[in-house]
Amino acid sequence: DERVDDHSVAAPRENLAVARFNPARRGAPQELGGTAGLSYAFFKMVELLIAESGAPDVIESQDYLGIAYYLQQFKLCGYAPYSDIPVVITIHAPAFVYLPYNEAPIHRFPDFWTGVIEKESIRAADLVVSPSAFMAEEVGRHLDYQGRLPVILPYGYRACGSGEAVAAPI
């Protein structure tokens, strides 16, 4: 969130913290470029939060732009404390799925590498969650889940008789 000067943490309820951070303030190497730089900034923010508050029980991230990629790399390398923190990836809107629908050339820089880190982030997840079977199947057309299919966890909405959707209690 570029509106945040550095970072902020809110605790809307017990056992839940929501961190907002300005990626430009996390010291990501410029050589990484936008997408990889954002992922590295996410990792640096997680590193700071762990130093300030201790390791969380779980980290959830969306797949979009492979934002959890570097965190998962440090986890897979066995670096403490990341090696002991489960990472859940929620399928949201991977570029490798939507760019072809937009007829964007996915084999050019940086879109090609964005797709690579998104796919690797999904593959490296301890658990993958999808809001719908359709989205899980669509992503599965582009990568092999390697036998670890996503858990379908629908968004918290239910249909009303009039055709409109309302928020369901969570």
Side-chain angles (χ1 to χ4, degrees):
D1 186 346
E2 294 177 357
R3 296 170 294 182
V4 176
D5 183 44
D6 185 71
H7 74 282
S8 67
V9 179
R13 59 180 171 246
E14 189 177 354
N15 297 322
L16 176 65
V18 177
R20 291 182 156 351
F21 67 97
N22 186 329
R25 306 272 194 240
R26 300 277 55 92
Q30 294 294 324
E31 296 81 11
L32 291 178
T35 301
L38 178 62
S39 178
Y40 193 79
F42 180 82
F43 162 72
K44 295 302 283 181
M45 189 65 219
V46 169
E47 182 179 57
L48 175 69
L49 291 172
I50 289 173
E52 289 179 350
S53 305
D57 296 328
V58 66
I59 296 174
E60 185 275 336
S61 174
Q62 61 181 322
D63 59 4
Y64 182 66
L65 300 179
I67 196 167
Y69 177 79
Y70 281 102
L71 169 65
Q72 291 170 294
Q73 289 300 309
F74 284 95
K75 176 184 172 65
L76 291 171
C77 286
Y79 296 153
Y82 316 106
S83 59
D84 297 327
I85 304 171
V87 177
V88 175
I89 298 296
T90 300
I91 294 175
H92 171 69
F96 67 85
V97 170
Y98 72 74
L99 286 175
Y101 283 104
N102 294 337
E103 298 181 4
I106 61 170
H107 298 292
R108 74 171 181 205
F109 182 79
D111 296 332
F112 173 79
W113 291 112
T114 298
V116 168
I117 67 173
E118 286 175 334
K119 289 174 185 175
E120 292 308 314
S121 183
I122 291 168
R123 286 186 189 112
D126 294 293
L127 176 68
V128 177
V129 174
S130 176
S132 70
F134 171 81
M135 184 58 99
E137 290 167 13
E138 187 66 19
V139 168
R141 290 176 2 129
H142 300 271
L143 67 82
D144 181 0
Y145 286 118
Q146 301 169 336
R148 297 174 52 224
L149 297 175
V151 171
I152 308 303
L153 185 61
Y155 290 130
Y157 290 92
R158 61 180 166 79
C160 293
S162 64
E164 66 184 65
V166 296
I170 297 176

